[in-house]
Amino acid sequence: MFGKLSWSAIPLDQPIPLITSIILILVIAGTLGLVTWKRWWPYLWNEWITSVDHKRIGIMYGILGVVMLIRGFADAIMMRTQQAVAIGGSQGYLEPGHYNQIFSAHGTIMIFFAAMPLVIGFMNFVVPLQLGVRDVAFPTMNSVSFWLTASGALLVNLSLFIGEFARTGWLPYPPLSEGTYSPGVGVDYYLWAVQISGIGTLMTGINFVTTVLKMRCPGMSYLRMPMFCWTSLGASLLIVAAFPVLTATLAMLSLDRVFGWHFFTADAGGNPMMFMNLIWAWGHPEVYILVLPAFGIFSEIFSTFSGKPLFGYRSMVAATLFICIVSMTVWLHHFFTMGSGPAVNTFFGISTSVIAVGTGVKIYNWIFTMYGGRVRMTVPMLWSLGFIFTFVIGGMTGVLLAVPPADFLVHNSMFLVAHFHNVIVGGVVFALFAGLDYWFPKAFGFRLHEGWGKASFWFAFLGFWVTFTPLYILGLEGMTRRLQHVNVEEWRPMLQLSVVGIVLLIVGAACQVIMLVVSIVQRDKLRDVSGDPWDGRSLEWATPSPAPFFNFAIMPNVEGEEAYWGIKVRAIESQRLSEEPEYHDIEMPVNSPVGFFTAAFASITGFALIWQIWWLAGLGFAAAIAGFVVFAWRDVHEFHVPAEEVARVERARRASREALLEQIAAEGATA
Amino acid sequence: MTDHPLPAAVETVRRVREDPHRLGHRAHGAEGPVQGAGHGETGPARKRIIVGYGFWIFLLSDIVMFACFFAAFAVQLGATAGGPGIKDLVEMPRVAWETAALLLSSYTCGLSFAATNARSKLWTQIFLLVTGLLGLLFVGLELLEFIGLAQRGITPQTSGFLSAFFGLVGLHGVHVTLAGMWLLTMMAQVQLKGFRPEIVHRLICFNLFWHALDIVWIGIFTIVYLMGATA
C-alpha cells in the first residue's frame, strides 16, 4: 500500500536531523498559524501565490533562494567544523553516513535551490523592465516554473524528516548511486527533486528566450539591449540546450535504479563513464547559466556607478555569445583522469583555456568602464570590486586545472573545492548580493542601509579568503575532498584557520540580516521617491519605485543605446518632461492558481515515486493532467486596466520626476 | 482575420489569411521591419508569433533530450553482455508498417491544419481523428513489437545495449502516446469552443509537435532499424 514507506523512515535515533526537523516544523506551523490568525490568506493567495506578475514571481524566487542559501550555509558550517575536529584519534560529531548526506545536500541545495532561484529571480524581476515591456512571453507558465522549483526544494527538505538524503555527492555518480550500492531512498529524493525543479528551469529558459527575442518595446533592437538582457538571453539559451540533457541522464539513472536497467551499472554492459559524460555535458553549461547573469549584474553596476556607458559594449555581447558556445565544448575537463588519451585531453584542455579569453575580455571591459569615470563607492560597487579581485584569482586557478598533467595531481582534492567556490562564491554569490542592493529599491520602494551593507561585504570578503586559502594549500598538500575524518595531524592548523573564516562569514550573514531589519525599520528615511535612486541608465529606472504591476503606462520608444539615459538627458537639457501622452486601457494577464496546483500534484507524484507508492504516483500525475485541461478550458485570459487608472499612476510618476528636474535645476543654479 | 481589407488577388487573400505577418513570403531584411513580428523596431510580437516561437524553442529542447538517448544508443550498441544484438531485434515488415502509419499521420495532421485555416470544423475534426487513429496504430504496433521481444526474453534488464534500445524507442513511443492524449483534448476544445485565437494557437503547437515526432522517428528508423538490419 505505501511502497517502501514505514514508520522507520523517521530518524528517531539521529538527534541532529530530528531536532532540526522539530524546529523547522514549529517554525512552519508558527508561520502558518500567524498567517491564519492575521487573516493574510486572501492577500497571500490573490497577490502572491496565484500571481503571474513577473516582478512578484521574481521576488518569490528570491525569497526561496535566500531561505535555501541559509540551509546550504548551515551544511557548510557543519562540514568545516567537523573537519577541524575529526583529526587523528577523534571522529568528530558527525558519523560518516550523516556527513556524506551533508556534503551531498550542501552542493545540491546551493546549486539547484539557492543559486538557480536567485539568478532566475533577478532575470524575472529585471528583464521585462529593462526591455520596456509589461510581462514575459508566457506569464502563467512563469508561475508554473516557480512553483515547480519550490516543489523540488520541498522534496529535498522533506528528506530531512522522512527517510534520508543521497550520500553520493551533488552529482550522483554511478555505480555508487545504483540500487546495488545505494539501496535507500536518498538518491531517489535527489533524482525526483532535481527532475521536478529541472522541468521548471527548462520552462523558464524557453520563456526568457522567447521574451528577449520576441517581446521588446519599440526601438529596442538587439544592440540597444542592456547587458543584463544579453547575458540573460545567453543563460536562457544554455538552459534550453543543457537542461534536457540533465532530464535525460537522471531519467536513465532512475530506470536503472527502479527497474534494474543497465545504462550506467558496472555489470551487464552498463557504462558508468557515459554518466560522467552526459551529466557534465549539462554540468559545465550550468556553471555559465549561473555566472552569465552574474556578469550582467556587474555590467549594469559598473556602468551606473562609474557614470559611464559600458566600455566595449559590442565586445561584451560577442564575449557572452562566445562563452555560450564554447561552454558546450569543455565538459571533459571534469574527468581528465578518465584516461581518454592525450589527444582528447589536449582538445578539452585547450578549449577550457580558450573560454577564459571571453571572460578576460569582460574583466578588462569592466576595468575600462571605471577608468575615467566618477566612481561612487556604494555597496553594490564594493561587491563588484571584490568580485573582480576574487574572480580573477579563481579564474587563474581554473586555467591551472585546465592543464591535464596539473589536473591529474590535484584532481578531486581540496584545491578543486577551493577553486570552484572561488568562482561561484566570488562570481555568482557576490553578484547576487550586489544585485540585491542595486534593485531592492525598485522592488520595495526603499534603499537598503548602507553601513550594514558595507559591513557585510567586508566580513564576507575577508571571510571568503580566510576560509578558502587554507583549502588551496591543503589541496596542494594532497588532501582529498569529502573527508569525514582526517588522518594527517599536520593539516590541523589550516583546517582550524578555515573555521575562523567560516566565523567571519557567519558575521557577514548576520550583518545582511541586520541590514534588512534596520532598512525595514528605517524605510521612511530610506524611501526612494524619484524611482531613480542610483542615477541609472536603463529602462527599469524610468518606472516609479516600486514599479506598478503594468510596469509602463505607455510603452517606451527607444531611440538609442542606454534607453533611459537618453530620455533623462533630454529632459534635463530642455528642463521639462516629454509631452503628456494620451492614455489607453491596458490588457494584463489574469492571475492563475495553475502553477500552485501543478506543483502540489508534482510534489505528491515525486514523493510517491521516491517511495514507490505507484497508485499515488498515478493519481498525482492524472490530477496534474486534469489541472492542465481545466486551465485550457478557461475563457478569461486578460483583464483591462482602465485608462483613468493608468493616467492616475502615470501622473504621480510624472510629478515626482518634475520635482527631480526642479531639484537638478536648483543645484545647477547654485553650482 | 476579417479586419484586413480584401486585396484583389485571391492568392494574396490566401497568403494574408495563412500568414498575416508575411513571415514566409519575404526575403529577410528586403523591406522595412514588419509590424508585430517582434523584430525590435516595432514592439512586441503578436500572440500567435510568440506562442509558435516559444513552442519551437521547446521542440529544440525536446530534440536535445532525444539526442542524449541517441548518444546512449550509439555508445551501448556493442554492450550486449553476451545477449542479443541489434540484428536479432529488427523485424523489417513491422517497422515498415509503423513508419508508414506515422508518416501518413503527419500528412493527415497537415490536412487538418489546412481545414483549420479554412475554418472548417468538420474536416478539422475528421483529419484530427484520422491522425489520432494512425498514431494509435503506430503505438499499437510498437507495443506488439515490445511484447514479442519480451516473450523471447529480450528485456531492457538484459544488457546495456537493450536498455539503450528500449530507452530510445520507448521514449519516442511515450511521446506519441502523450501527443495522442493532447490530440483528444484538442478535438474536444475545437468541438466545444470553436476556432478561437487561443485554440488555433494550440492547434499550431500540436501540429509542430506531431511533425517533430515524425522527424525523430525518421532518425530512429534510420539509425536503429535500417542501420541495425544492415549492421
Side-chain angles (χ1 to χ4, degrees), chain A residues 331-608:
Chain A
W331 78 89
L332 194 126
H333 70 217
H334 294 271
F335 44 93
F336 278 138
T337 51
M338 175 168 83
S340 318
V344 172
N345 279 1
T346 306
F347 172 84
F348 283 96
I350 291 172
S351 64
T352 306
S353 308
V354 162
I355 203 166
V357 174
T359 315
V361 168
K362 285 175 175 261
I363 297 274
Y364 281 111
N365 278 341
W366 290 318
I367 293 172
F368 287 134
T369 303
M370 287 184 287
Y371 178 78
R374 295 169 68 104
V375 179
R376 287 173 282 161
M377 283 293 170
T378 53
V379 179
M381 197 63 182
L382 280 181
W383 286 109
S384 306
L385 290 168
F387 151 77
I388 287 199
F389 177 79
T390 310
F391 198 80
V392 164
I393 292 173
M396 285 195 290
T397 58
V399 173
L400 202 150
L401 283 164
V403 182
D407 177 79
F408 270 63
L409 296 177
V410 285
H411 179 78
N412 262 359
S413 71
M414 293 305 269
F415 188 87
L416 171 80
V417 173
H419 157 69
F420 69 68
H421 283 89
N422 203 160
V423 281
I424 294 183
V425 176
V428 181
V429 180
F430 281 18
L432 297 173
F433 290 143
L436 177 73
D437 209 274
Y438 183 60
W439 280 304
F440 191 91
K442 192 45 66 191
F444 298 101
F446 56 95
R447 276 169 294 142
L448 288 169
H449 190 275
E450 196 163 0
W452 285 108
K454 285 186 173 168
S456 85
F457 164 75
W458 284 111
F459 278 109
F461 180 70
L462 289 174
F464 171 81
W465 280 107
V466 177
T467 308
F468 287 98
T469 311
L471 301 192
Y472 270 125
I473 296 165
L474 288 170
L476 286 175
E477 287 180 3
M479 182 172 166
T480 50
R481 68 195 289 204
R482 296 174 174 169
L483 292 181
Q484 178 262 345
H485 173 257
V486 180
N487 278 324
V488 183
E489 191 64 42
E490 293 79 64
W491 291 344
R492 189 189 292 273
M494 282 297 163
L495 287 168
Q496 287 174 343
L497 182 59
S498 186
V499 173
V500 174
I502 276 282
V503 172
L504 291 173
L505 283 172
I506 294 173
V507 177
C511 289
Q512 297 264 16
V513 175
I514 296 170
M515 169 181 78
L516 267 178
V517 174
V518 169
S519 311
I520 292 171
V521 171
Q522 302 184 352
R523 61 187 177 278
D524 289 327
K525 213 173 100 191
L526 295 165
R527 185 82 56 197
D528 165 36
V529 285
S530 64
D532 182 17
W534 310 118
D535 199 8
R537 313 175 81 83
S538 45
L539 281 174
E540 73 266 37
W541 307 112
T543 63
S545 299
F549 66 94
F550 50 77
N551 291 357
F552 300 95
I554 300 288
M555 216 176 265
N557 196 0
V558 176
E559 284 164 11
E561 285 174 28
E562 303 203 299
Y564 173 55
W565 188 256
I567 297 171
K568 185 156 61 177
V569 167
R570 233 171 300 144
I572 292 172
E573 278 173 358
S574 63
Q575 290 289 314
R576 60 192 193 86
L577 300 179
S578 56
E579 288 299 316
E580 187 165 1
E582 198 182 319
Y583 300 108
H584 299 284
D585 288 8
I586 291 176
E587 277 188 351
M588 293 300 289
V590 293
N591 285 358
S592 168
V594 69
F596 181 78
F597 282 120
T598 308
F601 295 134
S603 307
I604 292 169
T605 311
F607 184 77

Side-chain angles (χ1 to χ4, degrees), chain A residues 9-11 14 16-22 24 71 75 78 98 101 105 154-165 189:
Chain A
I10 295 172
Q14 291 169 341
I16 295 177
L18 192 68
I19 293 168
T20 320
S21 305
I22 293 169
L24 272 178
R71 160 85 212 266
D75 289 335
M78 285 197 276
H98 189 196
Q101 289 183 44
L154 175 74
L155 285 176
V156 166
N157 286 290
L158 208 58
S159 74
L160 204 63
F161 321 138
I162 308 172
E164 52 166 8
F165 195 64
Y189 262 115

Side-chain angles (χ1 to χ4, degrees), chain A residues 608-643:
Chain A
L609 287 167
I610 289 161
W611 293 97
Q612 305 192 357
I613 312 169
W614 300 116
W615 61 269
L616 187 59
L619 212 63
F621 185 69
I625 299 278
F628 276 116
V629 173
V630 170
F631 172 69
W633 236 259
R634 67 180 188 164
D635 290 320
V636 182
H637 302 262
E638 277 159 346
F639 69 100
H640 285 268
V641 186

Side-chain angles (χ1 to χ4, degrees), chain B residues 37-50:
Chain B
H39 289 169
E41 293 83 350
T42 57
R46 305 268 169 84
K47 198 76 192 158
R48 177 182 160 122
I49 291 181
I50 289 176

